C-alpha cells in the first residue's frame, strides 16, 4: 500500500491535521463529560458528609478557612436539622502520610467531638496504612476509637509518642498523619468559633 | 516540602521501578549487562529531567491558563516523543558508539512509563519547578539504582543452574520481586 | 491467517503479557485485585481497538517519517476519551486505577500493534487483532489480579473467601506482583511445550 511521500510539507500538514482533529474531538468529549464529572464529584462529597455527621436535612453555606500561614485551605460544611446546627463536616488533609497526601472528611458535632470520618483520598499501603478507614472507627476498641473524643480533652497523638490513641499495627507513620489531619480540622474549627 | 524527604523518598522508599511499577519494560529488557544498564540510565535521566521541566512549564503557562487541562496526556507525550527524537540526533553526532550500543532501546524511551509517570506525578504533587527538578532527578537516580542492581543480579543468575521451566524471564521476575522486598525495608526511613 | 486465528492468538500463543512481554507496567501496577485488572484490561482493549481501527483507515495518508508521532497522537486521543468518560461515569474505578489510565498511552502493546499490524493490514483484520490482543491482555490481568487478590486479601471480586487472618499480605504488595507473574509465565511456558 503506497504511503504519501515524506516531503517536509506533507509531514507538517499531516501532523498539524492529526493534532487539530484530535484536539477538536477531545474538546467535544470534554464539553460533553464536564457536567457528569462535576456531578460525580459533588455526589461523592455529599456522600462523605452524610457519612460523618448525625442526621441533617439541610447543608449551610460552605466556608473556606485557611488554618495557618501558608497552609492549604480547609472547607467547612455546616449542617442543619430543623434550622439548628447539628454539626460541621470539615474537609481536612495532611501531607505527612507514608505516601504523601491524605484527604479526610471529618465530622464535628455540636459538642465539639468527632462524630465520624471518611477517608477521601490516599496512596497509603494497601492492607496496612489503608486500614485507617476502619481502624479508628471501631467502637469495640476504645483505645483506637476517635469518635466522641476531641484533641482538646484527649491527647490526639499515637501512644508511641506519649499520646492516648493506639496506632495501626506496623503503620505508625500513616496513623500519625491521620491524627495530624484530624487535629488540624479541630484546631481550625475552634479558631473559627471565636 | 523538605528536599531531603523528596530525595530519599524517590530513590529508596517509593522507588519508581520496584515500588511504583513504572519503567518495567526497559528494566526487564536492558538489564542483562551492567554496562548497557548504565548507558540506558544516562539517556533516561536526561530525558526524564528535561521532560519534567518542559511539561511543568507547558502545564502551568499554557494548559492551565487556557483551561486546556484535558489535553495534558496528548501534550505531555508529544513533548516526550520530541525530546527523545532530539536525544537520538544529538547522540548520533556526539557519541556514535553509545548510539549503536543502545540501538532499538533509544526510541523505546518514549514509551518508558517512568518518564510520563514522573511528569504527571510532578503536576499531581503540586511541586514548584525546583522541587520538580529535584523530584525527577531523584527518580532518575532511583531508576538507575534499581536497573544496575538488577543487571548485576542477572549477570550472576546467568551463571547459575536454574530449573528449566524458570529459565529466563520467570527467574528474573522472581529475583526482581525479592529485590522489591528488600527495598520495602526502607519504608521506615521517612 | 484466518480471522479466527487472528482473534485467538492474543489469548495464548501471542499473549501480550505472558509471551510478548508487552504492557508490563499496568500488569504489575493495577493487579492487586481482579476487578482493577478487569477495568484496566477493558479500558486498554477499547483504546487498542479504536486506535487500530483509525490507524488502519489512515495508514496510506500518513508520510512514513511521521507515522510514530501521528500514531501517538491518535492513541493519546482515545486514552483521553477513556479518562474523561471514566471520570464522569465510573468515578470509583477511575480512582483505583489512578495514574495508570493516562499511562495506557505508553503501553508498548498499543503502539506496538499499531506499528506492527494495523499500519500494514486492512480494517477488518486490524480491528479483530485489536480485539483479540486486548482481550488476551485483559485475561492475563484478571488472572494475575485474581491470584494476588485471593492470596493477599482472602477476597475475589471483593467477595470474602477466607478470613483475613490467614492472608499473605505480600501478594497485594509490590514484590508479590513480580513473583506471581514470574511463576505464571513459567507455568504457561510449560503448558505451551506440552
Amino acid at each position: 500500500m503506497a504511503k504519501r511521500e515524506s516531503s517536509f510539507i506533507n509531514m507538517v500538514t499531516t501532523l498539524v491535521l492529526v493534532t487539530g482533529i484530535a484536539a477538536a474531538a477531545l474538546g467535544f468529549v470534554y464539553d460533553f463529560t464536564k457536567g457528569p464529572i462535576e456531578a460525580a464529584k459533588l455526589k461523592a462529597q455529599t456522600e462523605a458528609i452524610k457519612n460523618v455527621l448525625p442526621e441533617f436535612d439541610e447543608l449551610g453555606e460552605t466556608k473556606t478557612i485557611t488554618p495557618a500561614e501558608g497552609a492549604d485551605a480547609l472547607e467547612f460544611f455546616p449542617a442543619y436539622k430543623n434550622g439548628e446546627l447539628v454539626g460541621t463536616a470539615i474537609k481536612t488533609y495532611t501531607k505527612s502520610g507514608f505516601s504523601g497526601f491524605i484527604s479526610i472528611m471529618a465530622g464535628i458535632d455540636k459538642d465539639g467531638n468527632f462524630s465520624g470520618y471518611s477517608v477521601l483520598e490516599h496512596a497509603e499501603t494497601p492492607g496496612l496504612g489503608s486500614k485507617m478507614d476502619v481502624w479508628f472507627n471501631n467502637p469495640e476498641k476504645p483505645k483506637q476509637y476517635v469518635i466522641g473524643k476531641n484533641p482538646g480533652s484527649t491527647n490526639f497523638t499515637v501512644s508511641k509518642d506519649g499520646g492516648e490513641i493506639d496506632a495501626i499495627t506496623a503503620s505508625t507513620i500513616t496513623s500519625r498523619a491521620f491524627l495530624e489531619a484530624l487535629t488540624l480540622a479541630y484546631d481550625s474549627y475552634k479558631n473559627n468559633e471565636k | 516540602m523538605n528536599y531531603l524527604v523528596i530525595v530519599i523518598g524517590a530513590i529508596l522508599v517509593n522507588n519508581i521501578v520496584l515500588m511504583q511499577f513504572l519503567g518495567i519494560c526497559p528494566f526487564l529488557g536492558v538489564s542483562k549487562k551492567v554496562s548497557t544498564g548504565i548507558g540506558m540510565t544516562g539517556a533516561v535521566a536526561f530525558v526524564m529531567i528535561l521532560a519534567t521541566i518542559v511539561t511543568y512549564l507547558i502545564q502551568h503557562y499554557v494548559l492551565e491558563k487556557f483551561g486546556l487541562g484535558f489535553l495534558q496526556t496528548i501534550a505531555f507525550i508529544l513533548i516526550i516523543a520530541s525530546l527523545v527524537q532530539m536525544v537520538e540526533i544529538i547522540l548520533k553526532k556526539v557519541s556514535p558508539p553509545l548510539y549503536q550500543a543502545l540501538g532499538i532501546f533509544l526510541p523505546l524511551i518514549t514509551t518508558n512509563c517512568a518518564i510520563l509517570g514522573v511528569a504527571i506525578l510532578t503536576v499531581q504533587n503540586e511541586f514548584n519547578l525546583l522541587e520538580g527538578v529535584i523530584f525527577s532527578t531523584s527518580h532518575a537516580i532511583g531508576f538507575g539504582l534499581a536497573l544496575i542492581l538488577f543487571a548485576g543480579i542477572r549477570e550472576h543468575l546467568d551463571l547459575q543452574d536454574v530449573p528449566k521451566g524458570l529459565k529466563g524471564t520467570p527467574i528474573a521476575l522472581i529475583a526482581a520481586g525479592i529485590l522489591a522486598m528488600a527495598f520495602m525495608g526502607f519504608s521506615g526511613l521517612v | 491467517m484466518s480471522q479466527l486465528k487472528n482473534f485467538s492468538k492474543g489469548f495464548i500463543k501471542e499473549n501480550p503479557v505472558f509471551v510478548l512481554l508487552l504492557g508490563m507496567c499496568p500488569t504489575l501496577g493495577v493487579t492487586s485485585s481482579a476487578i482493577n485488572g478487569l477495568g484496566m484490561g477493558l479500558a486498554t482493549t477499547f483504546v487498542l481497538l479504536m486506535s487500530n481501527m483509525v490507524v488502519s483507515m489512515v495508514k496510506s495518508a500518513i508520510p512514513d517519517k511521521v507515522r510514530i508521532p501521528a500514531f501517538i497522537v491518535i492513541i493519546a486521543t482515545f486514552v483521553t476519551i477513556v479518562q474523561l468518560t471514566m471520570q464522569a461515569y465510573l468515578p470509583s474505578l477511575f480512582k483505583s486505577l489512578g495514574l495508570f489510565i493516562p499511562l495506557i498511552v505508553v503501553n508498548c502493546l498499543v503502539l506496538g500493534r499499531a506499528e506492527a499490524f494495523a499500519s500494514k493490514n486492512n480494517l477488518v483484520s486490524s480491528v479483530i487483532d485489536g480485539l483479540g490482543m486486548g482481550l488476551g491482555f485483559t485475561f492475563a490481568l484478571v488472572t494475575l489480579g485474581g491470584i494476588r487478590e485471593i492470596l493477599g486479601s482472602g477476597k475475589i471480586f471483593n467477595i470474602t473467601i477466607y478470613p483475613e487472618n490467614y492472608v499473605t499480605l505480600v501478594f497485594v504488595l509490590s514484590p508479590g506482583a513480580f513473583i506471581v507473574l514470574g511463576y505464571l509465565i513459567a507455568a504457561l511456558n510449560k503448558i505451551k511445550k506440552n
Side-chain angles (χ1 to χ4, degrees):
Chain A
M1 209 138 299
K3 292 212 176 96
R4 275 230 207 113
E5 57 156 301
S6 297
S7 71
F8 188 70
I9 281 272
N10 272 352
M11 294 202 284
V12 173
T13 327
T14 310
L15 280 182
V16 169
L17 217 68
V18 171
T19 319
I21 297 179
L26 283 183
F28 176 70
V29 174
Y30 175 68
D31 265 346
F32 190 73
T33 52
K34 222 174 11 176
I37 291 180
E38 281 308 309
K41 282 194 190 150
L42 195 60
K43 185 161 171 258
Q45 188 167 274
T46 317
E47 282 297 312
I49 297 177
K50 276 208 195 129
N51 280 338
V52 305
L53 288 179
E55 224 186 280
F56 60 89
D57 53 35
E58 194 193 330
L59 273 180
E61 213 181 285
T62 311
K63 282 191 282 192
T64 316
I65 313 274
T66 316
E69 258 200 55
D72 291 352
L74 303 184
E75 281 173 277
F76 278 46
F77 306 98
Y80 303 90
K81 186 168 177 163
N82 298 329
E84 255 190 62
L85 181 75
V86 293
T88 312
I90 304 176
K91 194 164 164 197
T92 179
Y93 71 96
T94 171
K95 293 195 178 154
S96 322
F98 180 66
S99 306
F101 184 73
I102 306 176
S103 170
I104 302 173
M105 186 72 84
I108 299 187
D109 61 25
K110 53 184 166 38
D111 302 320
N113 295 319
F114 284 118
S115 53
Y117 70 86
S118 190
V119 182
L120 299 173
E121 222 184 283
H122 76 92
E124 303 302 272
T125 319
L128 292 174
S130 67
K131 283 210 259 209
M132 62 181 148
D133 55 359
V134 296
W135 179 272
F136 299 103
N137 213 345
N138 191 348
E140 295 175 22
K141 298 245 168 109
K143 267 227 100 183
Q144 25 187 101
Y145 194 50
V146 297
I147 313 296
K149 303 183 187 162
N150 71 63
S153 51
T154 316
N155 190 335
F156 249 58
T157 41
V158 299
S159 344
K160 223 188 246 185
D161 298 340
E164 293 180 59
I165 314 278
D166 275 350
I168 305 174
T169 319
S171 303
T172 320
I173 299 175
T174 308
S175 309
R176 278 200 193 108
F178 175 83
L179 294 174
E180 186 186 300
L182 255 53
T183 311
L184 180 66
Y186 180 76
D187 288 343
S188 316
Y189 177 76
K190 280 287 162 189
N191 280 335
N192 187 48
E193 262 188 340
K194 294 184 191 144
Chain B
M1 208 180 162
N2 193 339
Y3 294 131
L4 194 60
V5 172
I6 298 182
V7 172
I8 305 257
I11 300 182
L12 297 176
V13 180
N14 284 324
N15 184 286
I16 196 85
V17 180
L18 297 171
M19 302 307 284
Q20 297 202 58
F21 303 116
L22 301 177
I24 302 283
C25 296
F27 180 69
L28 290 178
V30 187
S31 55
K32 295 220 176 94
K33 284 174 66 175
V34 177
S35 49
T36 18
I38 297 180
M40 176 55 117
T41 305
V44 167
F46 182 70
V47 177
M48 191 180 275
I49 300 170
L50 213 53
T52 305
I53 296 177
V54 178
T55 53
Y56 175 90
L57 294 172
I58 297 282
Q59 172 79 16
H60 287 269
Y61 295 113
V62 178
L63 293 180
E64 279 178 12
K65 232 191 181 160
F66 298 105
L68 296 173
F70 62 95
L71 288 181
Q72 182 189 71
T73 307
I74 285 194
F76 278 25
I77 191 63
L78 279 178
I79 293 172
I80 294 174
S82 322
L83 281 174
V84 173
Q85 194 67 46
M86 232 179 62
V87 168
E88 257 187 276
I89 296 175
I90 295 178
L91 210 54
K92 215 172 179 177
K93 278 225 166 95
V94 166
S95 171
L98 185 56
Y99 178 79
Q100 290 288 31
L102 287 176
I104 183 77
F105 291 112
L106 203 41
L108 237 52
I109 295 182
T110 312
T111 53
N112 184 332
C113 2
I115 298 187
L116 181 59
V118 169
I120 297 181
L121 281 173
T122 309
V123 169
Q124 262 183 19
N125 285 337
E126 297 190 349
F127 287 141
N128 61 43
L129 190 54
L130 179 59
E131 286 169 336
V133 171
I134 296 179
F135 184 68
S136 55
T137 311
S138 312
H139 272 306
I141 297 177
F143 176 77
L145 182 65
L147 189 58
I148 294 171
L149 277 177
F150 195 55
I153 294 177
R154 281 188 98 170
E155 280 185 357
H156 275 275
L157 265 184
D158 273 344
L159 305 169
Q160 297 303 322
D161 202 13
V162 178
K164 219 167 69 170
L166 290 176
K167 265 207 170 114
T169 310
I171 195 68
L173 282 170
I174 296 173
I178 300 179
L179 189 57
M181 244 190 263
F183 267 71
M184 282 190 79
F186 290 120
S187 55
L189 269 184
V190 285
Chain C
M1 90 172 38
S2 77
Q3 292 298 10
L4 188 59
K5 262 218 175 114
N6 189 8
F7 176 72
S8 59
K9 67 181 191 282
F11 281 91
I12 302 281
K13 242 172 121 213
E14 283 183 47
N15 185 293
V17 175
F18 298 134
V19 179
L20 304 179
L21 299 180
L22 296 175
M24 286 277 128
C25 299
T27 305
L28 294 166
V30 305
T31 46
S32 49
S33 73
I35 192 105
N36 281 353
L38 184 64
M40 176 54 108
L42 292 178
T44 309
T45 304
F46 174 75
V47 175
L48 190 50
L49 191 56
M50 299 305 289
S51 65
N52 262 20
M53 185 174 84
V54 174
V55 167
S56 179
M57 288 198 293
V58 301
K59 59 182 180 291
S60 35
I62 300 189
D64 194 66
K65 284 230 170 98
V66 292
R67 71 181 192 290
I68 298 287
F71 293 171
I72 290 181
V73 174
I74 294 173
I75 296 172
T77 309
F78 288 115
V79 171
T80 311
I81 293 180
V82 168
Q83 255 180 287
L84 291 172
T85 314
M86 243 197 225
Q87 206 177 355
Y89 301 110
L90 297 167
S92 46
L93 185 62
F94 179 78
K95 238 169 57 167
S96 328
L97 296 181
L99 184 62
F100 285 97
I101 301 179
L103 288 184
I104 297 178
V105 77
V106 288
N107 186 328
C108 346
L109 175 63
V110 183
L111 187 60
R113 287 333 275 177
E115 162 74 356
F117 199 90
S119 64
K120 306 189 169 96
N121 283 281
N122 64 46
L123 182 57
V124 176
S125 299
S126 301
V127 167
I128 295 187
D129 173 88
L131 200 56
M133 283 291 180
L135 290 178
F137 181 69
T138 307
F139 165 65
L141 254 55
V142 174
T143 310
L144 186 59
I147 295 178
R148 287 181 68 197
E149 192 182 357
I150 294 179
L151 292 176
S153 69
K155 304 190 193 147
I156 182 76
F157 288 110
N158 246 335
I159 307 169
T160 311
I161 302 189
Y162 63 89
E164 227 179 292
N165 298 328
Y166 298 100
V167 302
T168 319
L169 195 61
V170 74
F171 285 109
V172 289
L173 299 176
S174 158
F178 286 105
I179 294 177
V180 177
L181 184 59
Y183 278 111
L184 271 179
I185 295 182
L188 200 70
N189 284 343
K190 209 66 202 295
I191 295 178
K192 275 174 59 190
K193 278 217 181 101
N194 303 338

